[in-house]
Every structure is written in structure tokens, then in C-alpha cells.
Amino acid sequence: MIELQGIHKSYDVGSNKLHVLKGIDLTIEEGELVSIMGSSGSGKSTLLNILGILDTYDQGEYHLSGKHIKNLNETKAAWYRNQMIGFVFQSFNLIPFKNAMENVALPLYYQKVSRKRRNKIALEYLDRMGIKEWAEHTPNELSGGQKQRVAIARSMISKPKVILADEPTGALDSTTSFEVMNLFKEINSEGITIIIVTHEKDISERTNRVIHLKDGYIENITVNSPEMNIANV
Ligand code: ADP
Ligand code: MG
């Protein structure tokens, strides 16, 4: 599903280059639930943004579902993102002046689905997330956990093959984090590949594999035993 070979990425900082990813080789199979850990500045978000076609890379190859992701123009990149990828962020990234239902429906607006139909589908996803009764509320009227449920519903509405989540529980208390993780596990059990960047061991322990990034390299990859995953459900 995801294949990275020798990925390098640098940022221009003034007249200097900051070498952030220094040769990343990684394969993620369809249906996996993996986490990416590493200290702040180790390149986790950079890697996730490349996977999500939100950013480009300098060297190497990235294949997503067999398609070489390289030199796409913005229209093509947006098309692949819309077809293949859902995003969830630590800060939720909801539109403040739209209600929960409209936020969830947004990806379908870009797919030119009629308002009536996209709102109906959005309500179904809010229902699945257990927050249908909050459909008419704007983000500032929702708790952190509710906002993240809205964001997860939005990430799922275009039926992506992969969901990329950058510290999705970073702004949530531990009980709410646990519930959000239950949602990710449920979504993953339906076959959607999920990649979660996290600082929290409790979260990474509930994924199948943990990719440890250090200074732009993969330091190691650990595999969690299935028993552990079951015990934690
Ligand atoms: P992490 O998510 O692991 O904390 P990032 O991938 O966000 O790390 O950042 C890795 C390094 O790249 C950091 O030193 C960060 O300051 C730098 N960086 C990230 N994005 C940019 C950018 N757009 N321009 C310049 N430097 C950046
Ligand atoms: Mg980050």
C-alpha cells in the first residue's frame, strides 16, 4: 500500500539546508495500524506530510497503491488526497463557522456531491462516532473529544484507503484518548490502513507496529504482540 525507498527531505532555512529525513525505507501493508514515535523535531510530521502528499520530497521514491507519487501538480495531488487519504490533526483543524455536520461533509463538497446528500451522509458518520446530536453545533461548542470525533468522521467520509493522524490524542485527556483510539481500532478493523504519529506509549502500544524515528532515520521498528492489542481493546 505504502512504499518508501531512500526518502530524503531538506528544508531551506535562510541560506542553510536543514536535512530532516535522511534516507527513509518503509513498507506499510494495506490494513495495518502503525504508529510513528520519536522526539520533537525528529521528522515525524514531515514524514506524515509526504505520505499525505501535502509536501514533496527531494530524493527517493514513494509509491502509494502502486502509483509513483512524484512531481504531481496541485490538481493531481488534491485528487489523490481526496480519493485515497483522510487526515486527522492534533488541533482538529475544523472550520470554526461551520457546524459539525458541515465540517464532516466538506470533502464531499469538493467531490461536488449535492448539499442535501452530503449532509445526510455526514449525519450517518456523526452517528457512527456517537455524536449525531451535536450535528448543529459549531466547534467552539464541542469538547476536545467531540471535536476529534468530528475530525475523524470528516477523515472517513470520502472512504479513504489510509488515514494519517498527526498526534490525534495530543490535546486530549487520557480517558478521551483511549476512546479515540478505540475508534481508530474499529475503523482499522474494517480494513482501512491507519498511521498515527504519537508521543504516547499507551497509544503506540495499541498499534501493530511502532516505527521509531531519530534524527531523520528509522532507528528501529518494533512489533506489538497481538495479545497486547487484544488485552488493550
Ligand atoms: P516532528 O513532527 O517530529 O516534531 P517535524 O517533521 O515537524 O518534526 O520537523 C523536523 C524538523 O524540520 C524540525 O527541526 C523543524 O523545525 C523543521 N521544519 C519542519 N517544517 C519546516 C518548514 N516548513 N521549514 C523549515 N523547517 C521546518
Ligand atoms: Mg510533529
Side-chain angles (χ1 to χ4, degrees), residues 41 44-46 166-167 197:
K44 303 181 300 294
S45 294
T46 302
D166 197 346
E167 308 206 25
V197 166

Side-chain angles (χ1 to χ4, degrees), residues 9-13 18-21 37-49 55 166-167 197 199 213:
K9 170 75 179 177
S10 296
Y11 291 112
D12 291 320
V13 182
L18 181 66
H19 198 174
V20 176
L21 298 181
M37 292 192 92
S39 52
S40 186
S42 57
K44 303 181 300 294
S45 294
T46 302
L47 179 58
L48 210 69
N49 289 343
D55 203 351
D166 197 346
E167 308 206 25
V197 166
H199 270 115
L213 269 192

Side-chain angles (χ1 to χ4, degrees), residues 20-209:
V20 176
L21 298 181
K22 303 170 181 166
I24 302 287
D25 298 312
L26 180 63
T27 301
I28 296 172
E29 305 292 346
E30 191 162 353
E32 273 199 88
L33 171 60
V34 307
S35 52
I36 301 175
M37 292 192 92
S39 52
S40 186
S42 57
K44 303 181 300 294
S45 294
T46 302
L47 179 58
L48 210 69
N49 289 343
I50 290 171
L51 292 175
I53 328 180
L54 292 167
D55 203 351
T56 57
Y57 53 95
D58 306 324
Q59 245 188 75
E61 289 196 16
Y62 170 25
H63 288 88
L64 175 61
S65 280
K67 163 77 187 164
H68 190 195
I69 304 296
K70 184 79 184 172
N71 300 329
L72 302 180
N73 63 34
E74 189 38 47
T75 312
K76 267 240 165 91
W79 189 85
Y80 277 106
R81 279 198 298 270
N82 218 311
Q83 294 293 314
M84 307 273 290
I85 305 166
F87 294 95
V88 178
F89 300 95
Q90 176 174 2
S91 52
F92 319 117
N93 289 18
L94 300 175
I95 298 178
F97 53 86
K98 290 199 178 290
N99 68 33
M101 175 181 69
E102 292 161 340
N103 268 285
V104 173
L106 195 65
L108 297 184
Y109 166 82
Y110 293 114
Q111 291 179 15
K112 306 207 170 18
V113 176
S114 74
R115 180 193 302 268
K116 192 172 167 205
R117 189 167 148 68
R118 65 179 190 257
N119 285 346
K120 178 171 175 284
I121 299 170
L123 278 179
E124 290 166 12
Y125 278 90
L126 283 174
D127 197 17
R128 278 194 57 185
M129 296 296 125
I131 50 166
K132 193 181 178 188
E133 61 275 29
W134 292 89
E136 308 280 334
H137 291 257
T138 52
N140 67 347
E141 296 167 337
L142 303 176
S143 70
Q146 289 169 333
K147 280 188 265 209
Q148 204 57 304
R149 284 164 195 268
V150 172
I152 294 170
R154 179 185 58 187
S155 79
M156 291 177 67
I157 200 166
S158 47
K159 298 192 188 306
K161 289 203 179 320
V162 53
I163 291 177
L164 305 176
D166 197 346
E167 308 206 25
T169 61
L172 306 178
D173 63 70
S174 56
T175 307
T176 311
S177 296
F178 191 83
E179 290 166 3
V180 162
M181 201 54 201
N182 285 346
L183 284 174
F184 280 128
K185 287 193 79 79
E186 189 185 312
I187 295 163
N188 174 249
S189 72
E190 292 158 21
I192 299 178
T193 309
I194 302 185
I195 304 173
I196 301 175
V197 166
T198 184
H199 270 115
E200 294 152 85
K201 207 155 176 287
D202 301 12
I203 299 292
S204 70
E205 278 174 355
R206 298 186 66 197
T207 65
N208 310 134
R209 287 198 296 158

